[in-house]
Amino acid sequence: MRHLYLLTTLFFTLMSCHLFAQPDSTVSFVAYWHKGETQQYKIIKKKVRIQNGKEVANELKSYISSFTVLDSTDTSYLIEWKYENKLFDSAPEMAAQFKQLDTKYQYLTIKYRTDEYGAFEGIENWKEASRMMKDMFDLTEKNYKGDNRKAFSQALLPFRQAMSSKEGLENVVFKELRSIHSPYGAIYSLTDTVRYEDQLPNFFGGAPINAIASLYFNEADFENLTCSYIHEVVPTPEDSKRLVQEMLEKMASNISDKTLREQRKAELSKAFTQMSVTINDITTYSYDLNTSWPISITVKRTVEANSPDEKASNLEETIIERIH
C-alpha cells in the first residue's frame, strides 16, 4: 500500500488590522490601509514525512513576497501579491526542464480583493493563474520518469481539475492568502476560548468536511501594540478518512483500463476498512495593532494515516514573517 500513502501525501501537499479593546474584553480586527502601501514577508515552508517510524522526506524552501495596496475604496481593497515562483522546487529532477518556463513564470503576481474590513474575497486574475498551473502540470507529466506515463497522467487528473477552478486555486495553491486575511472583520473575546463547529471546503467536489474548531488569545499587549492568538481546527476522523478515500477513488475512476480500474477500487475499499486518518491544523497569529498588518503567522498541519501494515505521518508547516 505504499502508493496509497504517497498519493495521500501529495493530496495534503495540495487543503491586518487595527485591533481595538472593547469594554467587554473583546477585540475587533479592521484593516486601515492606504493606496500604494507595501509590506514584505518571508515565507518558509517545511514538509516532513515519516513512514513506519523512519523519516523518508524532509523538505525546506523559502521565498520573499510583497503585498501592495493597488486601490482602496469605501467598500474594498485591491491588493497585488508578488513572489518568486517556488511551487515545484521540491522536485529537483525537473529543474533543468523547468527553466523553459522561468522567463514566463519566474515571478508570480496575484491580484485579489478584500472587503472594507480586510477579509479575503477572491483572486481577480485567477484565469491567468490557472493557465500557469496547466503549464506546470504539463511539464510534470513531460518529465515523469516512471514506467506507466498514462496511469500517472490519469492520477493527476483530479488535481488538474481542482486547480483549474477559482476555488481550487484559492483554497489549495495560494492558501497563504486566506491565512493572512482570516481574522479581518471578526470580533473575538480576549478571555474566553471560542469553540464551534466548522466546515472545510472539499476541493474534489464532494461534501464539505466537518470539523471542530477552537480559538483563544495567548497575548494582548496594548503597551507594545501587539496581540496573538491560536486557532485549532480538527476535522472529524470520519470526514478525514472520507476525504482521502474520495480523492483516491476519483483517481482510480480515471484509469482507462477497466480491469485495472476495478482492481484498484477493490484494493482501496479493502484498505479503508482497516485504516484510520486524523488531521490537525494549528495556526498561531501575531499582529501589529498600529499598522494593521500581521507580524507573523505559523500554520501547522499534521496528518496521520495508519493501517495494520503501515503507519505514516506528514507534517506541513508554513511560517510567514514580516520583514522590517
Side-chain angles (χ1 to χ4, degrees):
M1 293 304 296
R2 183 179 299 274
H3 67 281
L4 176 63
Y5 290 103
L6 291 176
L7 290 172
T8 302
T9 300
L10 174 61
F11 164 69
F12 285 110
T13 299
L14 296 168
M15 357 192 334
S16 140
C17 60
H18 275 290
L19 181 153
F20 298 99
Q22 309 294 338
D24 58 355
S25 297
T26 62
V27 293
S28 57
F29 288 82
V30 179
Y32 286 88
W33 304 321
H34 60 266
K35 183 177 179 179
E37 184 175 355
T38 297
Q39 294 285 325
Q40 282 194 323
Y41 289 86
K42 182 177 182 180
I43 299 180
I44 304 167
K45 293 190 174 185
K46 304 176 182 179
K47 295 181 183 179
V48 177
R49 188 169 75 248
I50 297 174
Q51 198 164 329
N52 293 328
K54 182 180 178 181
E55 185 178 285
V56 295
N58 192 327
E59 302 172 8
L60 176 66
K61 63 181 179 180
S62 65
Y63 53 91
I64 304 299
S65 64
S66 65
F67 293 81
T68 301
V69 180
L70 299 179
D71 195 19
S72 172
T73 71
D74 292 339
T75 59
S76 68
Y77 293 99
L78 179 63
I79 300 176
E80 179 185 82
W81 180 37
K82 186 175 182 179
Y83 64 99
E84 188 175 358
N85 189 351
K86 299 288 186 178
L87 289 177
F88 283 83
D89 272 13
S90 58
E93 69 278 3
M94 294 172 52
Q97 292 80 3
F98 186 70
K99 289 181 180 178
Q100 302 170 26
L101 297 177
D102 268 356
T103 301
K104 188 175 183 180
Y105 294 130
Q106 182 177 2
Y107 292 93
L108 302 183
T109 300
I110 302 299
K111 295 179 181 179
Y112 66 95
R113 194 169 295 277
T114 75
D115 65 14
E116 65 268 36
Y117 303 108
F120 180 81
E121 288 190 334
I123 295 175
E124 298 277 293
N125 62 335
W126 71 270
K127 290 184 179 180
E128 178 184 335
S130 179
R131 287 193 295 270
M132 177 203 69
M133 294 308 300
K134 179 183 181 302
D135 287 349
M136 298 297 183
F137 275 110
D138 288 346
L139 188 64
T140 302
E141 292 189 34
K142 176 183 177 182
N143 292 280
Y144 177 65
K145 304 300 183 183
D147 297 329
N148 195 333
R149 180 183 297 273
K150 186 175 182 179
F152 179 72
S153 297
Q154 291 168 339
L156 286 180
L157 185 58
F159 299 98
R160 278 185 175 272
Q161 294 170 340
M163 295 182 186
S164 66
S165 69
K166 182 174 183 290
E167 293 76 14
L169 291 168
E170 291 171 350
N171 292 320
V172 181
V173 185
F174 306 117
K175 55 188 176 182
E176 291 94 337
L177 294 179
R178 290 196 177 275
S179 296
I180 288 172
H181 290 274
S182 61
Y184 293 100
I187 299 175
Y188 298 122
S189 169
L190 283 171
T191 57
D192 298 329
T193 297
V194 179
R195 293 184 176 87
Y196 60 96
E197 294 181 358
D198 200 359
Q199 285 192 328
L200 308 179
N202 183 343
F203 75 95
F204 284 103
I209 307 306
N210 295 309
I212 303 299
S214 62
L215 184 149
Y216 61 91
F217 277 79
N218 60 354
E219 179 191 23
D221 186 344
F222 294 102
E223 181 178 350
N224 294 307
L225 297 177
T226 61
C227 72
S228 64
Y229 67 82
I230 294 174
H231 186 209
E232 183 172 8
V233 180
V234 182
T236 64
E238 298 80 10
D239 276 18
S240 297
K241 184 174 178 179
R242 173 175 63 83
L243 184 61
V244 177
Q245 187 170 6
E246 286 178 357
M247 175 202 67
L248 296 177
E249 287 178 348
K250 191 166 185 177
M251 287 181 172
S253 68
N254 289 318
I255 298 175
S256 57
D257 185 283
K258 183 177 179 181
T259 302
L260 181 59
R261 180 171 64 246
E262 295 306 315
Q263 178 184 343
R264 184 60 53 84
K265 286 184 176 181
E267 290 176 353
L268 291 173
S269 178
K270 180 179 179 181
F272 273 98
T273 60
Q274 307 176 67
M275 177 177 284
S276 65
V277 179
T278 58
I279 306 171
N280 184 261
D281 289 343
I282 299 180
T283 303
T284 302
Y285 297 84
S286 179
Y287 278 83
D288 186 328
L289 283 62
N290 183 47
T291 66
S292 75
W293 287 93
I295 298 171
S296 65
I297 303 170
T298 300
V299 183
K300 291 183 180 180
R301 162 165 285 191
T302 304
V303 180
E304 294 185 355
N306 298 323
S307 71
D309 299 325
E310 197 161 11
K311 298 182 183 298
S313 64
N314 192 66
L315 171 65
E316 294 187 12
E317 183 175 14
T318 299
I319 302 171
I320 303 171
E321 298 176 335
R322 186 175 63 177
I323 300 174
H324 294 285

